[in-house]
Amino acid sequence: MQVTVVVVTWEGRDLLRECLASLATQTLPRSEYCVVVVDNASTDGTAQMLASEHPDVEVITAPTNLGFAGGANLALVRPSTPYVVLLNNDATAEPGLLAAFVEAMEAPGAVRVAAVTGKVLLTGTGLINSTGNLMSRTGRGYDRDWQRRDDGSRGAGEVFGFCGAAVALRAEALAEVGVFDGDLFLYYEDTDLSWRLRRAGWTVRFEPQAVAWHRHASSSGGDGNAMFHFWNERNSMVVMTRHAPAALVLVLLGRRLLGLVVQVARHGARHPLTRARLRALSFNLWRLPRTLRERREGWREVAVPRAEVARLLTSAPGE
């Protein structure tokens, strides 16, 4: 067996049903992959649906909602196959997804490829969700080719980081650098792991033949709510402070402070998004001693210097 497919779910029974149905149509022989569902203590009948409709799927039940990062880690810490594929519960896989991931991982010269990120398309459109993750010099993580028309022009090749919605990870690389930071809970956990893989000398590649469709942010309630803004702001500051050059961290802090001032001026201090941004900034100030310690210890002895990894940072659209 070559691949363990891991799907993390929370209160997403109907989304999960579609996701698992797509995994049943894979061109990779069924004997070559197994499916593990991590259920983050759902109360919507997910457990009953899995037991009745998918008895062949291994289920790991978390005692509470651990988020995507913590939930995935329950499966990632014990892979029994050389490759682990993460697929969001609100995503569906094209039939050739797993086969394309395996082929890319086993291609000549791919021995130091830690992650192969797929082409993730927005469900119901011809638009791209992600062809890999990028990180801007101002601390913004974003999906490459977001909402571009999929014209097939983006070929296979290296990219800064992977998109956790549909990615194949090499178990050997995870054994070396560790799994996700469960404290990140939701968002930027894939960016953080991408930084850690790169400083250890591993690379990330995009494979256009590995295609998945994604109902973007449907499992977290959409990207315009306060929860999204809190975790997005909180985790971007943690990850950037942990990994980026000091000058860029200071730029990020300045932009976050300015953004908060503008938010208060436009919407007032009691607006839900204002409160979310304030909570994120307050959390990072409280956590700063720990983050700086992780920064020192994590980059003390690395295969690739911080400055070299930072050369892969870009300018996000609109910046």
Side-chain angles (χ1 to χ4, degrees):
M1 189 170 290
Q2 293 180 295
V3 180
T4 299
V5 184
V6 177
V7 182
V8 179
T9 191
W10 176 70
E11 308 292 17
R13 180 190 59 189
D14 294 334
L15 292 171
L16 179 62
R17 182 180 278 120
E18 293 183 31
C19 176
L20 295 178
S22 73
L23 289 172
T25 67
Q26 293 299 295
T27 58
L28 187 73
R30 190 64 179 86
S31 60
E32 292 300 307
Y33 70 97
C34 61
V35 180
V36 177
V37 171
V38 180
D39 182 11
N40 269 328
S42 299
T43 60
D44 64 348
T46 291
Q48 292 81 357
M49 183 273 288
L50 289 170
S52 63
E53 299 179 22
H54 297 279
D56 59 327
V57 169
E58 179 183 353
V59 180
I60 300 174
T61 303
T64 186
N65 184 7
L66 301 176
F68 176 80
N73 284 349
L74 294 179
L76 292 178
V77 294
R78 52 170 190 156
S80 58
T81 57
Y83 313 119
V84 180
V85 169
L86 298 178
L87 185 66
N88 272 18
N89 71 330
D90 55 1
T92 55
E94 286 288 298
L97 178 83
L98 298 184
F101 275 147
V102 171
E103 183 176 355
M105 279 290 196
E106 298 185 345
V111 66
R112 292 298 292 177
V113 174
V116 177
T117 191
K119 178 162 67 175
V120 183
L121 302 174
L122 293 167
T123 300
T125 76
L127 303 179
I128 294 171
N129 181 160
S130 180
T131 59
N133 280 3
L134 299 176
M135 190 81 181
S136 81
R137 299 181 187 89
T138 58
R140 178 182 167 193
Y142 62 102
D143 289 304
R144 187 174 65 170
D145 295 328
W146 167 250
Q147 291 194 331
R148 279 185 51 190
R149 179 68 55 182
D150 179 28
D151 59 5
S153 61
R154 177 68 74 181
E158 189 169 348
V159 62
F160 172 78
F162 65 87
C163 172
V167 60
L169 300 169
R170 193 181 297 272
E172 179 187 355
L174 295 177
E176 179 180 339
V177 309
V179 293
F180 291 122
D181 176 4
D183 183 56
L184 295 177
F185 191 77
L186 190 69
Y187 304 125
Y188 281 88
E189 71 288 324
D190 44 10
T191 304
D192 176 71
L193 182 52
S194 297
W195 273 98
R196 289 190 280 125
L197 288 167
R198 287 201 164 277
R199 75 186 181 191
W202 294 92
T203 61
V204 179
R205 289 185 63 81
F206 164 65
E207 174 49 59
Q209 299 305 311
V211 180
W213 294 86
H214 186 210
R215 298 182 186 276
H216 180 69
S218 61
S219 58
S220 61
D223 57 11
N225 62 26
M227 183 183 79
F228 170 86
H229 281 276
F230 169 70
W231 287 107
N232 198 278
E233 296 266 332
R234 171 197 192 267
N235 291 351
S236 67
M237 285 188 278
V238 170
V239 171
M240 197 69 166
T241 305
R242 184 182 282 166
H243 297 297
L248 300 187
V249 175
L250 293 175
V251 169
L252 170 64
L253 179 59
R255 288 176 65 92
R256 291 293 187 266
L257 288 170
L258 179 60
L260 181 59
V261 170
V262 172
Q263 179 76 28
V264 171
R266 288 180 177 175
H267 302 289
R270 295 184 178 275
H271 191 279
L273 298 187
T274 304
R275 293 168 66 89
R277 298 181 78 160
L278 181 58
R279 283 178 57 214
L281 183 59
S282 300
F283 172 85
N284 273 271
L285 292 174
W286 170 81
R287 194 190 194 278
L288 187 58
R290 176 183 169 188
T291 308
L292 292 177
R293 183 173 66 253
E294 293 167 345
R295 177 186 177 90
R296 290 191 301 271
E297 294 174 355
W299 287 87
R300 184 171 294 144
E301 295 181 9
V302 295
V304 182
R306 188 197 314 275
E308 186 172 335
V309 178
R311 291 193 188 101
L312 298 172
L313 302 184
T314 63
S315 295
E319 291 185 347

